[in-house]
Amino acid sequence: MAKPHYHLLSGISLIGFSFIAFLPQLPLTHLNVGLLAAFVCIGVVFIAEAITQSLGNFSLLKEIGRNRATLVKFFIVTSVAGLLLDGIVNFSAKLWIYPYWDLGFYALIFIPGFAGYSLAIIESYVLVKVVLDKLKIGLQSVNYQLPYESWFFAVLGTIGIATIFLQTYTLYIDFSSQSNPYFVSDAWINVNVDLFRITITDVFIYIFGLVALFESIDFFRTGTSVLHALFVGYRGHVYAMLLGSFTTLLLMELQNVSGQLWVYTNWPYGTVLGFPLLGLIMWPLHYWAFIGLYRAIAPQQSVVVLSGDSIK
């Protein structure tokens, strides 16, 4: 594997190159817009790998590619994450659209696309957490569980399951009464925006249900979780999700200003450069959901996500 400083330089170069989307001479097509957006994800992964290898002496990429089973499991996890994210937020609620793509092209890039996107999310989270742990911000060794945690996470998991079933039914009833195509142009949205009736509240409640379920599964399978860490006084996971998500948000959303690979629609409370202000909540929340899913489905493979602390 390449040395960390090569990863770092490669990551910075890829992210910098992705911003050629702002050049007026560049024709914007479904292929080059998607490729330039992918460079941001790959760049984030390279930068994170360089720093985590140097400071934490581990590599998420190595763990994922350790054998065929771990690689296949990662693609399964990220595909499920993609189905949940786009199924709820894009196809059902139409909170964003892909104006360049049709169903065939979307299906072609779905698995590698969400694998790269999910990897950028997890790597950026791990990167910030490694740095925080190295600086000993909130680092401590806690090897116990609080008396109420077992019943708390049992109730939390039950609430998560109930919420998911209820919101799935709500989304199904709403979506089945609509005539929206899966992929629509920006112009179509502007004319037919009244057809999209699913509220953003439904989306946030659904994601809350997913996070609640994943937290419960993680706790009972591994003895730890983000909420458990908070209960015993370790805040590194929360800081890492917030800082990691806002950093990746800044890079990806700025790069998307010109290319408009995705376009936000139907978000209340205003936008800045096309980015909805409520996205500041959605980004860290969907980080939590993606990381929670990874931990819930692949606890052994994702042990690196919680490395750096001794909370058990």
Side-chain angles (χ1 to χ4, degrees):
M1 183 170 287
K3 294 181 179 180
H5 66 274
Y6 291 140
H7 279 142
L8 183 62
L9 291 175
S10 298
I12 294 173
S13 299
L14 283 171
I15 292 174
F17 183 75
S18 73
F19 281 85
I20 68 169
F22 284 87
L23 295 177
Q25 299 90 345
L26 181 71
L28 299 178
T29 67
H30 69 286
L31 187 59
N32 62 24
V33 168
L35 189 61
L36 291 176
F39 285 167
V40 178
C41 291
I42 299 171
V44 169
V45 170
F46 279 1
I47 292 171
E49 281 288 312
I51 296 175
T52 55
Q53 287 181 43
S54 298
L55 298 183
N57 196 30
F58 62 80
S59 165
L60 184 60
L61 277 179
K62 284 183 179 179
E63 183 60 32
I64 291 170
R66 180 160 46 90
N67 54 54
R68 183 177 297 179
T70 58
L71 186 61
V72 169
K73 181 171 284 189
F74 180 77
F75 277 110
I76 291 174
V77 170
T78 55
S79 296
V80 171
L83 286 173
L84 289 172
L85 180 65
D86 265 7
I88 298 168
V89 185
N90 176 15
F91 297 132
S92 294
K94 285 293 190 296
L95 291 180
W96 61 68
I97 61 169
Y98 302 116
Y100 289 95
W101 295 352
D102 56 24
L103 183 58
F105 187 76
Y106 178 84
L108 180 66
I109 67 169
F110 177 83
I111 292 178
F114 269 105
Y117 179 71
S118 302
L119 186 59
I121 285 177
I122 299 170
E123 287 273 21
S124 62
Y125 161 83
V126 173
L127 162 62
V128 177
K129 186 175 179 300
V130 166
V131 172
L132 293 177
D133 287 345
K134 196 71 174 180
L135 297 174
K136 300 188 183 301
I137 298 178
L139 182 64
Q140 55 188 292
S141 178
V142 181
N143 295 300
Y144 66 88
Q145 295 177 359
L146 300 174
Y148 60 81
E149 285 192 271
S150 292
W151 68 260
F152 171 82
F153 281 102
V155 171
L156 185 66
T158 303
I159 292 174
I161 293 172
T163 301
I164 291 169
F165 273 107
L166 178 62
Q167 289 304 110
T168 299
Y169 178 74
T170 301
L171 294 180
Y172 170 75
I173 293 299
D174 192 289
F175 185 73
S176 62
S177 67
Q178 298 183 23
S179 57
N180 306 328
Y182 287 121
F183 292 86
V184 298
S185 68
D186 211 1
W188 196 96
I189 281 282
N190 292 334
V191 174
N192 299 276
V193 69
D194 59 303
L195 294 179
F196 305 105
R197 294 182 293 275
I198 297 172
T199 68
I200 195 168
T201 304
D202 291 313
V203 174
F204 277 110
I205 292 174
Y206 203 117
I207 296 177
F208 164 78
L210 292 172
V211 169
L213 177 60
F214 297 154
E215 278 287 304
S216 178
I217 294 173
D218 192 12
F219 177 80
F220 285 111
R221 293 189 70 180
T222 67
T224 187
S225 75
V226 173
L227 285 178
H228 164 72
L230 280 176
F231 292 159
V232 296
Y234 180 80
R235 301 177 181 84
H237 304 304
V238 175
Y239 295 154
M241 281 191 289
L242 290 173
L243 293 175
S245 64
F246 290 147
T247 301
T248 308
L249 176 160
L250 186 64
L251 291 173
M252 295 188 69
E253 297 295 348
L254 281 177
Q255 196 277 334
N256 189 58
V257 166
S258 176
Q260 296 285 281
L261 176 61
W262 59 91
V263 177
Y264 290 102
T265 57
N266 308 312
W267 289 71
Y269 307 120
T271 62
V272 176
L273 295 177
F275 176 74
L277 296 179
L278 277 180
L280 295 174
I281 300 175
M282 178 67 81
W283 265 84
L285 191 60
H286 97 288
Y287 255 61
W288 196 350
F290 270 57
I291 292 168
L293 175 65
Y294 187 39
R295 289 282 302 162
I297 295 180
Q300 292 181 335
Q301 180 181 335
S302 62
V303 67
V304 68
V305 173
L306 292 183
S307 63
D309 61 80
S310 302
I311 297 175
K312 295 179 180 179

